Amino acid sequence: MRAGLAPAAVGSVITAVSVFDERALTRHAAGAADFVSRLEGRTFTGASRRGKFLWLPLDSPESALIAHLGMSGQMLLRAPDAGPERHERVRIGLEHPTHGELAIVFADQRTFGSLAVDSLVMDGPTEIPAQVRHIARDPLDPLFDDAGFRAALAHRASAIKRVLLDQGVVSGIGNIYADESLWASRIHPESPANLLSTRAVHRLLAEVRSVLAKALAEGGTSFDAQYVNVNGQAGYFAHSLNAYGRGGEPCPRCGGPIRREAFMNRSSHYCPRCQRRLR
């Protein structure tokens, strides 16, 4: 979504903002009028993301439009005269120096997502919205600290999958990509993080990066119509899954049955033959 928005948003002047449902501004405590006034007439200068947060820095001092998509939020690029989207909550009109008039539509069926204008704070050498300070960098971030990640695992006896889903340690690895990365690195999801060797941690990070890069190239993993890119198109990484959602099917590597187990109100999928649990 960030990659799709960037060419249209960066350099665009915000010409109009329409808020149709203030539930979409739960992260903007000052309300709709303040939200609109802080955006109209400003220019987007970048496009960044971390975890489930996406933000577009503004030319106003140290501020950005920030979006958290929740469970069903969408950021869609549309023509300026396009009709309303189903579950449309906010529409932002743009004037781009090359592409002309455009609109960014925030649609959200379940209304768990939210937009806000947030202040930017320093996080190492980069600026991030204040609401994102608690989210760790992800493994595709050039500033991700591999040594710091290894050190964090060494002090955690929790199952490695739980640690991968802890956004205070590492972000960007959801349930699907955790299962796929652990399968690829032959690590059991319940193995204690502090028992992993340095070599195993290096292998895991390499596989996480490989899985995420492939998923991004294929547009993500879409299981229903809510998970789409800025043009409303579904991703097709679901066709590349080796473990997730394949409970009872043969492991693509060894032929043994993939096991599905309950995990934190979700499911884990792994091969008990290929992924031996460390004790």
Side-chain angles (χ1 to χ4, degrees), residues 115-199:
L115 303 181
V117 178
D118 196 17
S119 59
L120 296 173
V121 297
M122 296 305 300
D123 178 43
T126 59
E127 289 187 320
I128 63 172
Q131 295 185 34
V132 186
R133 281 183 294 193
H134 64 292
I135 305 294
R137 295 182 185 275
D138 71 77
L140 296 182
D141 190 320
L143 297 177
F144 184 81
D145 184 357
D146 287 21
F149 178 72
R150 293 196 303 272
L153 296 193
H155 291 91
R156 284 170 168 78
S158 301
I160 181 59
K161 182 172 177 180
R162 289 180 179 269
V163 178
L164 290 179
L165 297 180
D166 183 348
Q167 293 194 97
V169 178
V170 58
S171 67
I173 309 173
N175 194 47
I176 296 172
Y177 303 127
D179 280 358
E180 290 299 298
S181 301
L182 291 167
W183 179 87
S185 55
R186 298 175 179 258
I187 296 172
H188 193 289
E190 290 296 324
S191 291
N194 60 359
L195 295 187
L196 296 180
S197 67
T198 298
R199 179 177 296 179

Coordinates of all heavy atoms in Angstrom, one line a residue, residues 115-199:
L115 N -7.4 7.5 11.0 CA -6.5 8.5 10.5 C -6.2 9.5 11.5 O -7.1 9.7 12.4 CB -7.0 9.1 9.2 CG -7.4 8.3 8.0 CD1 -7.9 9.2 6.9 CD2 -6.3 7.4 7.6
A116 N -5.1 10.2 11.4 CA -4.8 11.3 12.3 C -3.7 12.1 11.7 O -3.0 11.7 10.9 CB -4.4 10.8 13.7
V117 N -3.6 13.4 12.2 CA -2.4 14.2 11.9 C -1.6 14.1 13.2 O -2.1 14.5 14.3 CB -2.7 15.6 11.5 CG1 -1.4 16.4 11.3 CG2 -3.6 15.6 10.3
D118 N -0.4 13.6 13.1 CA 0.5 13.4 14.3 C 1.8 14.1 14.2 O 2.3 14.4 13.1 CB 0.7 11.9 14.5 CG 1.2 11.5 15.9 OD1 1.0 12.3 16.8 OD2 1.7 10.4 16.0
S119 N 2.4 14.4 15.3 CA 3.7 15.1 15.3 C 4.8 14.0 15.1 O 4.6 12.8 15.4 CB 3.9 15.8 16.7 OG 3.9 14.8 17.8
L120 N 5.9 14.5 14.5 CA 7.0 13.6 14.3 C 8.1 13.8 15.3 O 8.3 14.9 15.8 CB 7.6 13.9 12.9 CG 6.7 13.7 11.7 CD1 7.4 14.2 10.4 CD2 6.4 12.2 11.5
V121 N 8.6 12.6 15.7 CA 9.7 12.6 16.8 C 10.9 11.8 16.2 O 10.8 11.1 15.3 CB 9.2 12.0 18.1 CG1 8.1 12.8 18.7 CG2 8.8 10.5 17.8
M122 N 12.1 12.0 16.8 CA 13.3 11.4 16.3 C 13.3 9.9 16.8 O 13.0 9.6 18.0 CB 14.5 12.1 16.8 CG 14.6 13.5 16.2 SD 14.6 13.6 14.4 CE 16.0 12.5 13.9
D123 N 13.7 9.0 15.9 CA 13.9 7.6 16.3 C 15.2 7.2 15.6 O 15.3 6.8 14.5 CB 12.8 6.7 15.8 CG 13.0 5.3 16.1 OD1 13.4 5.0 17.2 OD2 12.8 4.4 15.2
G124 N 16.3 7.4 16.4 CA 17.6 7.3 15.8 C 17.8 8.4 14.8 O 17.5 9.6 15.1
P125 N 18.3 8.1 13.5 CA 18.5 9.1 12.6 C 17.2 9.5 11.8 O 17.3 10.3 10.9 CB 19.5 8.5 11.6 CG 19.2 7.0 11.7 CD 18.7 6.8 13.1
T126 N 16.1 8.9 12.1 CA 14.9 9.1 11.3 C 13.8 9.7 12.1 O 13.8 9.6 13.4 CB 14.4 7.8 10.6 OG1 14.1 6.8 11.6 CG2 15.4 7.3 9.7
E127 N 12.8 10.3 11.5 CA 11.6 10.8 12.1 C 10.4 9.9 11.9 O 10.2 9.4 10.8 CB 11.2 12.2 11.6 CG 12.2 13.3 12.0 CD 11.7 14.7 11.5 OE1 11.2 14.7 10.4 OE2 11.8 15.7 12.3
I128 N 9.7 9.6 13.0 CA 8.5 8.8 12.9 C 7.4 9.5 13.7 O 7.6 10.3 14.6 CB 8.7 7.4 13.5 CG1 9.1 7.5 15.0 CG2 9.8 6.7 12.8 CD1 9.1 6.1 15.7
P129 N 6.1 9.2 13.4 CA 5.0 9.8 14.3 C 5.1 9.3 15.7 O 5.6 8.2 16.0 CB 3.8 9.2 13.6 CG 4.2 8.9 12.2 CD 5.6 8.4 12.3
A130 N 4.7 10.2 16.6 CA 4.8 9.9 18.0 C 4.0 8.6 18.3 O 4.3 7.8 19.2 CB 4.2 11.0 18.8
Q131 N 2.9 8.4 17.6 CA 2.1 7.2 17.9 C 2.7 5.9 17.4 O 2.2 4.8 17.7 CB 0.7 7.3 17.1 CG -0.2 8.4 17.6 CD -1.5 8.4 16.9 OE1 -2.1 7.4 16.6 NE2 -2.1 9.6 16.7
V132 N 3.9 6.0 16.8 CA 4.6 4.8 16.3 C 5.8 4.4 17.1 O 6.5 3.4 16.9 CB 5.0 4.9 14.8 CG1 5.5 3.7 14.2 CG2 3.7 5.4 14.0
R133 N 6.1 5.2 18.2 CA 7.3 5.1 18.9 C 7.5 3.7 19.6 O 8.6 3.2 19.8 CB 7.4 6.1 20.0 CG 7.9 7.5 19.5 CD 8.0 8.5 20.6 NE 6.7 8.8 21.2 CZ 6.5 9.8 22.1 NH1 7.6 10.6 22.4 NH2 5.4 10.1 22.6
H134 N 6.3 3.1 19.9 CA 6.4 1.8 20.6 C 6.6 0.6 19.6 O 6.8 -0.6 20.1 CB 5.1 1.5 21.4 CG 3.9 1.4 20.5 ND1 3.4 2.5 19.8 CD2 3.1 0.3 20.3 CE1 2.3 2.1 19.2 NE2 2.1 0.8 19.4
I135 N 6.6 0.8 18.3 CA 6.7 -0.2 17.3 C 8.2 -0.4 16.9 O 8.8 0.6 16.5 CB 5.9 0.1 16.1 CG1 4.4 0.3 16.5 CG2 6.0 -1.1 15.1 CD1 3.7 -0.9 17.1
A136 N 8.7 -1.6 17.0 CA 10.1 -1.8 16.6 C 10.3 -1.8 15.1 O 9.3 -1.9 14.4 CB 10.6 -3.2 17.2
R137 N 11.5 -1.6 14.6 CA 11.8 -1.7 13.2 C 11.5 -3.1 12.7 O 11.5 -4.0 13.4 CB 13.2 -1.3 12.9 CG 13.5 0.2 13.3 CD 15.0 0.5 12.9 NE 15.3 1.9 13.4 CZ 15.1 3.0 12.7 NH1 14.5 2.9 11.5 NH2 15.4 4.2 13.2
D138 N 11.3 -3.2 11.4 CA 11.1 -4.5 10.8 C 12.3 -4.9 10.1 O 13.2 -4.1 9.8 CB 9.9 -4.5 9.9 CG 10.1 -3.7 8.6 OD1 10.8 -4.3 7.7 OD2 9.7 -2.6 8.5
P139 N 12.5 -6.2 9.8 CA 13.7 -6.8 9.2 C 14.1 -6.2 7.8 O 15.2 -6.4 7.3 CB 13.5 -8.3 9.1 CG 12.5 -8.5 10.2 CD 11.6 -7.4 10.2
L140 N 13.1 -5.6 7.1 CA 13.4 -5.0 5.8 C 13.9 -3.5 5.9 O 14.4 -2.9 5.0 CB 12.2 -5.0 4.9 CG 11.7 -6.4 4.5 CD1 10.5 -6.3 3.5 CD2 12.8 -7.2 3.9
D141 N 13.8 -3.0 7.1 CA 14.3 -1.6 7.4 C 15.9 -1.7 7.3 O 16.5 -2.5 8.0 CB 13.9 -1.2 8.8 CG 14.1 0.3 9.1 OD1 15.2 0.8 8.7 OD2 13.2 0.9 9.7
P142 N 16.5 -0.8 6.6 CA 17.9 -0.8 6.5 C 18.6 -0.5 7.8 O 19.8 -0.9 8.0 CB 18.2 0.4 5.5 CG 17.0 0.6 4.7 CD 15.8 0.2 5.6
L143 N 17.9 0.1 8.8 CA 18.5 0.3 10.1 C 18.1 -0.8 11.1 O 18.4 -0.6 12.3 CB 18.0 1.7 10.6 CG 18.4 2.9 9.8 CD1 17.8 4.2 10.4 CD2 19.9 3.0 9.7
F144 N 17.5 -1.9 10.7 CA 17.2 -3.0 11.6 C 18.5 -3.5 12.2 O 19.5 -3.7 11.5 CB 16.5 -4.1 10.9 CG 16.0 -5.2 11.8 CD1 14.9 -5.1 12.6 CD2 16.8 -6.4 11.9 CE1 14.5 -6.1 13.4 CE2 16.4 -7.4 12.7 CZ 15.2 -7.3 13.5
D145 N 18.5 -3.7 13.5 CA 19.7 -4.1 14.2 C 19.7 -5.7 14.4 O 19.1 -6.2 15.3 CB 19.7 -3.4 15.6 CG 21.0 -3.7 16.4 OD1 21.8 -4.5 15.9 OD2 21.1 -3.1 17.5
D146 N 20.4 -6.4 13.6 CA 20.5 -7.8 13.7 C 21.0 -8.3 15.0 O 20.5 -9.2 15.6 CB 21.3 -8.4 12.5 CG 20.6 -8.3 11.2 OD1 19.7 -7.5 11.0 OD2 21.0 -9.1 10.3
A147 N 22.1 -7.7 15.4 CA 22.8 -8.0 16.7 C 21.8 -7.8 17.9 O 21.7 -8.6 18.8 CB 24.1 -7.3 16.9
G148 N 21.1 -6.6 17.8 CA 20.1 -6.3 18.9 C 19.0 -7.4 18.9 O 18.5 -7.7 20.0
F149 N 18.6 -7.8 17.7 CA 17.5 -8.9 17.7 C 18.0 -10.2 18.3 O 17.3 -10.8 19.1 CB 17.1 -9.1 16.2 CG 16.1 -10.1 16.0 CD1 14.8 -9.9 16.4 CD2 16.4 -11.4 15.4 CE1 13.8 -10.9 16.2 CE2 15.5 -12.3 15.3 CZ 14.2 -12.1 15.6
R150 N 19.3 -10.6 18.0 CA 19.8 -11.8 18.6 C 19.9 -11.7 20.1 O 19.6 -12.6 20.8 CB 21.2 -12.1 18.0 CG 21.2 -12.4 16.5 CD 22.6 -13.1 16.1 NE 23.7 -12.2 16.4 CZ 24.2 -11.3 15.6 NH1 23.6 -11.1 14.4 NH2 25.2 -10.6 15.9
A151 N 20.3 -10.5 20.6 CA 20.4 -10.3 22.0 C 19.0 -10.3 22.7 O 18.9 -10.9 23.8 CB 21.1 -8.9 22.3
A152 N 18.0 -9.8 22.0 CA 16.7 -9.8 22.5 C 16.2 -11.3 22.7 O 15.6 -11.6 23.7 CB 15.7 -9.0 21.7
L153 N 16.5 -12.1 21.7 CA 16.0 -13.5 21.7 C 16.8 -14.2 22.9 O 16.2 -15.1 23.5 CB 16.3 -14.2 20.4 CG 15.6 -13.7 19.2 CD1 15.8 -14.8 18.1 CD2 14.1 -13.5 19.4
A154 N 18.0 -13.9 23.1 CA 18.8 -14.6 24.1 C 18.2 -14.4 25.5 O 18.5 -15.2 26.4 CB 20.3 -14.1 24.1
H155 N 17.4 -13.3 25.7 CA 16.9 -13.0 27.0 C 15.4 -13.4 27.1 O 14.7 -13.0 28.1 CB 17.0 -11.5 27.3 CG 18.5 -11.2 27.6 ND1 19.3 -10.7 26.5 CD2 19.2 -11.2 28.7 CE1 20.5 -10.4 27.0 NE2 20.5 -10.7 28.3
R156 N 14.9 -14.2 26.1 CA 13.5 -14.5 26.2 C 13.3 -16.0 26.1 O 13.7 -16.7 25.1 CB 12.7 -13.8 25.0 CG 12.5 -12.4 25.3 CD 12.0 -11.7 24.0 NE 11.4 -10.3 24.3 CZ 12.2 -9.3 24.6 NH1 13.5 -9.4 24.5 NH2 11.7 -8.1 24.9
A157 N 12.6 -16.6 27.1 CA 12.4 -18.0 27.1 C 11.0 -18.3 26.4 O 10.6 -19.5 26.3 CB 12.4 -18.6 28.5
S158 N 10.3 -17.3 25.9 CA 9.0 -17.6 25.3 C 9.2 -18.3 24.0 O 10.3 -18.3 23.4 CB 8.3 -16.2 25.0 OG 8.1 -15.5 26.2
A159 N 8.2 -18.9 23.5 CA 8.2 -19.5 22.2 C 8.6 -18.5 21.1 O 8.2 -17.4 21.1 CB 6.9 -20.2 21.8
I160 N 9.5 -19.0 20.1 CA 10.0 -18.1 19.1 C 8.9 -17.4 18.3 O 9.0 -16.2 18.0 CB 11.0 -18.8 18.2 CG1 11.5 -17.9 17.2 CG2 10.3 -20.0 17.5 CD1 12.3 -16.6 17.7
K161 N 7.8 -18.1 18.1 CA 6.7 -17.5 17.3 C 6.1 -16.3 18.1 O 5.8 -15.3 17.5 CB 5.6 -18.5 16.9 CG 4.5 -17.9 16.1 CD 3.5 -18.8 15.5 CE 2.4 -18.1 14.8 NZ 1.4 -19.0 14.2
R162 N 5.9 -16.5 19.4 CA 5.4 -15.4 20.2 C 6.3 -14.2 20.1 O 5.9 -13.0 20.1 CB 5.2 -15.8 21.7 CG 4.1 -16.8 21.9 CD 4.0 -17.2 23.4 NE 2.9 -18.1 23.6 CZ 1.6 -17.7 23.9 NH1 1.4 -16.4 24.0 NH2 0.7 -18.6 24.0
V163 N 7.6 -14.4 20.1 CA 8.6 -13.3 20.0 C 8.5 -12.6 18.7 O 8.5 -11.4 18.6 CB 10.0 -13.8 20.3 CG1 11.0 -12.6 20.2 CG2 10.1 -14.4 21.7
L164 N 8.3 -13.4 17.6 CA 8.2 -12.8 16.3 C 7.0 -11.9 16.1 O 7.0 -11.0 15.3 CB 8.2 -13.9 15.2 CG 9.4 -14.7 15.0 CD1 9.2 -15.8 13.9 CD2 10.6 -13.8 14.6
L165 N 5.9 -12.2 16.9 CA 4.7 -11.4 16.8 C 4.7 -10.3 17.8 O 3.8 -9.5 17.9 CB 3.5 -12.3 17.1 CG 3.3 -13.4 16.1 CD1 2.0 -14.2 16.5 CD2 3.1 -12.9 14.7
D166 N 5.8 -10.1 18.6 CA 5.9 -9.0 19.6 C 6.5 -7.8 18.9 O 7.6 -7.8 18.6 CB 6.8 -9.5 20.8 CG 6.9 -8.5 21.9 OD1 6.5 -7.3 21.7 OD2 7.5 -8.8 22.9
Q167 N 5.6 -6.8 18.7 CA 6.1 -5.6 17.9 C 7.0 -4.7 18.7 O 7.5 -3.8 18.2 CB 4.8 -4.8 17.5 CG 4.0 -5.6 16.4 CD 3.1 -4.7 15.7 OE1 3.3 -4.2 14.6 NE2 1.9 -4.5 16.3
G168 N 7.2 -5.0 20.0 CA 8.2 -4.3 20.7 C 9.6 -4.9 20.4 O 10.6 -4.2 20.8
V169 N 9.7 -6.1 19.8 CA 11.0 -6.7 19.5 C 11.2 -6.5 18.0 O 12.3 -6.2 17.6 CB 10.9 -8.2 19.8 CG1 12.3 -8.9 19.4 CG2 10.7 -8.4 21.3
V170 N 10.2 -6.8 17.2 CA 10.3 -6.8 15.7 C 8.9 -6.6 15.1 O 8.0 -7.1 15.7 CB 11.0 -8.1 15.2 CG1 10.2 -9.3 15.5 CG2 11.2 -8.0 13.6
S171 N 8.8 -5.8 14.1 CA 7.5 -5.6 13.5 C 7.4 -6.1 12.1 O 8.5 -6.6 11.6 CB 7.2 -4.1 13.5 OG 8.1 -3.4 12.6
G172 N 6.2 -6.1 11.5 CA 6.1 -6.6 10.2 C 5.9 -8.0 9.9 O 5.6 -8.5 8.8
I173 N 5.9 -8.8 11.0 CA 5.8 -10.3 10.8 C 4.5 -10.7 11.4 O 4.4 -10.9 12.6 CB 7.0 -11.1 11.5 CG1 8.3 -10.5 11.1 CG2 6.9 -12.5 11.2 CD1 9.5 -11.1 11.8
G174 N 3.5 -10.8 10.6 CA 2.2 -11.3 11.1 C 2.1 -12.8 11.3 O 3.1 -13.5 11.0
N175 N 1.0 -13.3 11.6 CA 0.8 -14.7 11.8 C 1.2 -15.6 10.6 O 1.9 -16.6 10.7 CB -0.6 -15.0 12.3 CG -0.8 -16.4 12.9 OD1 0.0 -16.8 13.7 ND2 -1.8 -17.1 12.4
I176 N 0.7 -15.2 9.4 CA 1.0 -15.9 8.2 C 2.5 -16.0 8.0 O 3.1 -17.0 7.7 CB 0.3 -15.3 7.0 CG1 -1.2 -15.4 7.2 CG2 0.7 -15.9 5.7 CD1 -2.0 -14.6 6.2
Y177 N 3.2 -14.8 8.0 CA 4.6 -14.7 7.7 C 5.5 -15.3 8.7 O 6.6 -15.8 8.4 CB 5.0 -13.3 7.3 CG 4.1 -12.7 6.2 CD1 3.4 -11.5 6.4 CD2 4.0 -13.4 5.0 CE1 2.6 -11.0 5.3 CE2 3.2 -12.9 4.0 CZ 2.5 -11.8 4.2 OH 1.7 -11.3 3.2
A178 N 5.0 -15.4 10.0 CA 5.8 -16.1 11.0 C 5.8 -17.6 10.7 O 6.8 -18.2 10.7 CB 5.1 -15.8 12.4
D179 N 4.6 -18.1 10.4 CA 4.6 -19.6 10.1 C 5.4 -19.9 8.8 O 6.2 -20.9 8.8 CB 3.1 -20.0 9.8 CG 2.3 -20.2 11.0 OD1 2.8 -20.1 12.1 OD2 1.1 -20.5 10.9
E180 N 5.4 -19.0 7.8 CA 6.1 -19.3 6.6 C 7.6 -19.2 6.9 O 8.4 -20.0 6.4 CB 5.7 -18.3 5.5 CG 4.3 -18.6 5.0 CD 4.2 -20.0 4.3 OE1 4.9 -20.3 3.4 OE2 3.4 -20.8 4.9
S181 N 8.0 -18.2 7.6 CA 9.5 -18.0 7.9 C 10.0 -19.1 8.8 O 11.2 -19.6 8.6 CB 9.7 -16.7 8.6 OG 9.2 -15.6 7.8
L182 N 9.2 -19.6 9.8 CA 9.7 -20.6 10.6 C 9.8 -22.0 9.9 O 10.7 -22.8 10.1 CB 8.8 -20.8 11.8 CG 8.8 -19.6 12.8 CD1 7.7 -19.7 13.8 CD2 10.2 -19.7 13.6
W183 N 8.8 -22.2 9.0 CA 8.9 -23.4 8.1 C 10.1 -23.3 7.3 O 10.9 -24.3 7.2 CB 7.6 -23.5 7.3 CG 7.7 -24.7 6.4 CD1 7.2 -26.0 6.6 CD2 8.2 -24.7 5.0 NE1 7.5 -26.8 5.6 CE2 8.1 -26.1 4.6 CE3 8.8 -23.8 4.2 CZ2 8.5 -26.5 3.3 CZ3 9.2 -24.2 2.9 CH2 9.0 -25.5 2.5
A184 N 10.4 -22.2 6.6 CA 11.5 -22.1 5.7 C 12.8 -22.3 6.5 O 13.8 -22.8 5.9 CB 11.5 -20.8 5.0
S185 N 12.9 -21.9 7.7 CA 14.2 -22.0 8.5 C 14.2 -23.2 9.3 O 15.2 -23.4 10.1 CB 14.4 -20.7 9.4 OG 13.2 -20.5 10.2
R186 N 13.2 -24.1 9.2 CA 13.1 -25.4 9.9 C 13.1 -25.2 11.5 O 13.8 -26.0 12.2 CB 14.3 -26.3 9.5 CG 14.3 -26.7 8.0 CD 15.5 -27.5 7.7 NE 15.5 -27.9 6.3 CZ 15.2 -29.1 5.8 NH1 14.9 -30.1 6.7 NH2 15.2 -29.4 4.5
I187 N 12.5 -24.2 11.9 CA 12.4 -23.9 13.4 C 11.0 -24.2 13.9 O 10.0 -23.6 13.3 CB 12.9 -22.5 13.7 CG1 14.3 -22.3 13.3 CG2 12.6 -22.1 15.2 CD1 14.8 -20.9 13.4
H188 N 10.8 -24.9 14.9 CA 9.5 -25.2 15.5 C 9.0 -23.9 16.1 O 9.7 -23.3 16.9 CB 9.6 -26.3 16.5 CG 8.3 -26.9 17.0 ND1 7.4 -26.2 17.8 CD2 7.7 -28.1 16.7 CE1 6.4 -27.0 18.0 NE2 6.5 -28.1 17.4
P189 N 7.7 -23.6 15.9 CA 7.2 -22.3 16.5 C 7.2 -22.3 18.0 O 7.2 -21.2 18.6 CB 5.7 -22.3 16.0 CG 5.4 -23.7 15.5 CD 6.7 -24.3 15.1
E190 N 7.2 -23.5 18.7 CA 7.2 -23.5 20.2 C 8.6 -23.6 20.7 O 8.8 -23.7 22.0 CB 6.3 -24.6 20.7 CG 4.8 -24.4 20.4 CD 4.3 -23.2 21.2 OE1 4.7 -22.9 22.3 OE2 3.4 -22.5 20.6
S191 N 9.6 -23.6 19.9 CA 11.0 -23.7 20.5 C 11.3 -22.4 21.3 O 11.0 -21.3 20.8 CB 12.0 -23.8 19.3 OG 11.9 -25.1 18.7
P192 N 11.8 -22.5 22.5 CA 12.2 -21.3 23.2 C 13.2 -20.4 22.5 O 14.2 -20.9 22.0 CB 12.8 -21.9 24.5 CG 12.2 -23.2 24.6 CD 12.1 -23.7 23.2
A193 N 12.9 -19.1 22.4 CA 13.7 -18.2 21.7 C 15.2 -18.2 22.2 O 16.1 -18.2 21.4 CB 13.2 -16.8 21.8
N194 N 15.4 -18.4 23.5 CA 16.7 -18.3 24.0 C 17.6 -19.6 23.8 O 18.7 -19.6 24.1 CB 16.7 -18.0 25.5 CG 16.0 -19.0 26.3 OD1 15.4 -20.0 25.8 ND2 15.9 -18.7 27.6
L195 N 16.9 -20.6 23.2 CA 17.7 -21.8 22.9 C 18.2 -21.9 21.4 O 18.9 -22.8 21.0 CB 16.8 -23.1 23.1 CG 16.4 -23.3 24.6 CD1 15.7 -24.7 24.7 CD2 17.7 -23.3 25.5
L196 N 17.8 -20.9 20.6 CA 18.2 -20.8 19.2 C 19.7 -20.4 19.1 O 20.1 -19.5 19.8 CB 17.3 -19.9 18.4 CG 15.9 -20.2 18.3 CD1 15.2 -19.1 17.5 CD2 15.6 -21.5 17.7
S197 N 20.4 -21.2 18.3 CA 21.8 -20.8 18.1 C 21.9 -19.6 17.3 O 21.0 -19.1 16.6 CB 22.5 -22.0 17.4 OG 22.0 -22.1 16.1
T198 N 23.1 -19.0 17.3 CA 23.4 -17.8 16.5 C 23.1 -18.1 15.0 O 22.5 -17.3 14.3 CB 24.8 -17.3 16.7 OG1 25.0 -16.9 18.1 CG2 25.1 -16.1 15.8
R199 N 23.6 -19.3 14.6 CA 23.4 -19.7 13.2 C 21.9 -19.8 12.9 O 21.4 -19.4 11.8 CB 24.0 -21.0 13.0 CG 23.9 -21.5 11.5 CD 24.6 -22.8 11.3 NE 26.1 -22.6 11.4 CZ 27.0 -23.6 11.3 NH1 26.6 -24.9 11.1 NH2 28.2 -23.3 11.4

